[in-house]
């Protein structure tokens, strides 16, 4: 597992585990969040049939495969790079020093495993302040869209920042994410960066348990940029989801919408997801 794979495991939201967490008492929320995020990359279903690739506006979806035990694909950012120097704040500097010290204290003999730092925040602005950059997120103050914590606790933050570094503390991977809810759907926005000094390829690998199918479609954002819409399908799933990948500000944006409704047909659930995602995409 690479650093990209591990980060994806720590950030991806599994709809079933989210619903399970929401049903638990609030006091267990923090523990459930950690369990939820680690398991998520193995549980979700955005996967596909034959090996294929689709390129769009600086991002490429490739190496898509389907298997009975495991399915997966890669999403790579092409043609746009950022520098670690673009991200700077007192909080970030302190986080990097914490990672360096963890390496020195715990495993100075091992320079291969990436250092990791995760911080939850109450607002998207706090994530921007932590990273020292401005990241577009028109969802944060959108009327009709409420903050939602993946842990199921109403008091837990709905935003977070994740960092991976080299043993020397050089940023290898940076990510921010936020989760929301509407009357019928959950919504997640993620932004990912791979600074050129960190030695990681600007891509993420998605691995999921089980067999699934998907459809992909090239769409246009409101300003004419191309993006890819991916619709996931899995037999007997109790939820439906769609997500869009696009490049912006040197990073990889991922806007994802899902609806958990076991009593509804897949077609009915998907129709609600499509309507929600279409409306949100008009903001980008």
């Amino acid at each position: 597992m690479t650093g990209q794979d591990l980060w994806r495991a720590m950030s991806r939201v599994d709809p079933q585990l989210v619903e399970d967490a929401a049903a638990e008492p609030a006091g267990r929320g923090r523990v459930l969040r950690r369990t939820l995020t680690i398991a998520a990359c193995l549980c979700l279903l955005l996967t596909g049939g034959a090996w294929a690739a689709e390129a769009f506006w600086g991002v490429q979806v490739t190496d898509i495969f389907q298997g009975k035990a495991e399915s997966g694909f890669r999403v790579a950012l092409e043609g746009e790079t950022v520098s670690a120097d673009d991200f700077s704040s007192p909080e970030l500097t302190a986080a990097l020093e914490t990672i360096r010290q963890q390496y020195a204290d715990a495993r100075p003999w091992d320079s291969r495993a990436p250092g990791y730092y995760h911080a939850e925040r109450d607002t998207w602005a706090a994530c921007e302040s932590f990273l020292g950059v401005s990241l577009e997120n028109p969802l944060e103050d959108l009327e009709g869209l409420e903050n939602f914590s993946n842990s199921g606790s109403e008091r837990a933050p709905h935003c977070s920042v994740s960092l991976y570094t080299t043993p020397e503390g050089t940023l290898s991977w940076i990510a921010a994410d936020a989760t929301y809810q509407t009357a019928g759907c959950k919504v997640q926005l993620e932004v990912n960066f791979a600074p050129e000094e960190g030695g990681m390829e600007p891509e993420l690998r998605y691995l999921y348990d089980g067999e699934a199918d998907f459809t992909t479609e090239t769409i246009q954002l409101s300003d004419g940029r191309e993006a890819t819409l991916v619709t996931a399908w899995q037999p007997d799933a109790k939820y439906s989801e769609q997500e869009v990948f696009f490049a912006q500000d040197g990073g990889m944006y991922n806007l994802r919408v899902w609806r958990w409704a076991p009593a509804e047909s897949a077609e009915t659930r998907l129709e609600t997801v499509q309507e929600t995602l279409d409306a949100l995409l008009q903001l980008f």
Side-chain angles (χ1 to χ4, degrees):
M1 176 176 282
T2 66
Q4 297 99 313
D5 302 333
L6 183 57
W7 178 84
R8 192 57 182 178
M10 292 297 292
S11 67
R12 186 74 174 190
V13 178
D14 180 356
Q16 181 167 353
L17 292 177
V18 168
E19 299 300 330
D20 290 344
E24 294 289 339
R28 294 185 58 192
R30 293 285 178 169
V31 175
L32 283 168
R33 174 176 173 80
R34 179 69 57 167
T35 303
L36 156 68
T37 51
I38 292 176
C41 77
L42 297 178
C43 296
L44 291 181
L45 52 103
L46 202 161
T47 55
W51 294 90
E54 181 172 355
F56 59 98
W57 192 259
V59 178
Q60 186 175 37
V61 178
T62 186
D63 294 349
I64 302 170
F65 71 96
Q66 182 185 50
K68 291 185 177 181
E70 184 178 76
S71 304
F73 64 94
R74 293 180 185 270
V75 179
L77 184 66
E78 297 186 339
E80 297 188 34
T81 59
V82 296
S83 171
D85 294 336
D86 296 334
F87 302 86
S88 177
S89 75
E91 283 186 288
L92 180 59
T93 300
L96 296 179
E97 182 56 37
T98 296
I99 294 176
R100 295 188 191 100
Q101 192 60 48
Q102 288 173 343
Y103 269 112
D105 292 344
R107 51 189 183 202
W109 59 89
D110 185 357
S111 63
R112 293 171 297 175
Y116 178 70
Y117 186 93
H118 180 78
E120 295 184 339
R121 292 293 182 266
D122 290 323
T123 66
W124 188 259
C127 293
E128 294 177 307
S129 177
F130 179 93
L131 296 175
V133 298
S134 178
L135 302 175
E136 182 180 2
N137 179 3
L139 309 182
E140 183 72 356
D141 299 312
L142 183 64
E143 185 176 353
L145 202 62
E146 300 177 354
N147 298 340
F148 180 81
S149 170
N150 302 328
S151 70
S153 170
E154 295 181 357
R155 296 185 296 274
H158 73 290
C159 301
S160 69
V161 175
S162 299
L163 308 174
Y164 272 98
T165 77
T166 66
E168 296 76 26
T170 301
L171 287 169
S172 296
W173 195 266
I174 303 166
D177 73 271
T179 310
Y180 310 91
Q181 65 180 351
T182 67
C185 297
K186 302 295 193 303
V187 178
Q188 185 180 31
L189 178 69
E190 299 175 357
V191 189
N192 308 281
F193 299 92
E196 54 190 356
E197 301 91 341
M200 282 189 178
E201 293 296 326
E203 64 178 26
L204 290 169
R205 185 171 64 165
Y206 299 70
L207 296 175
Y208 312 111
D209 277 346
E211 188 174 357
D213 201 358
F214 76 104
T215 59
T216 63
E217 180 184 355
T218 299
I219 63 174
Q220 284 193 330
L221 301 181
S222 58
D223 61 1
R225 286 176 297 157
E226 288 189 346
T228 273
L229 168 68
V230 185
T231 304
W233 305 90
Q234 187 175 44
D236 303 321
K238 297 180 180 180
Y239 67 96
S240 297
E241 69 169 353
Q242 286 187 318
E243 59 187 316
V244 172
F245 295 93
F246 58 94
Q248 183 167 312
D249 302 326
M252 186 192 312
Y253 271 65
N254 174 209
L255 176 63
R256 175 170 169 255
V257 176
W258 73 91
R259 175 171 173 77
W260 173 277
E264 292 182 356
S265 67
E267 291 76 12
T268 300
R269 290 194 305 261
L270 185 59
E271 183 177 353
T272 303
V273 168
Q274 288 174 328
E275 292 176 354
T276 302
L277 183 58
D278 287 346
L280 297 178
L281 282 175
Q282 299 304 312
L283 305 174
F284 288 88

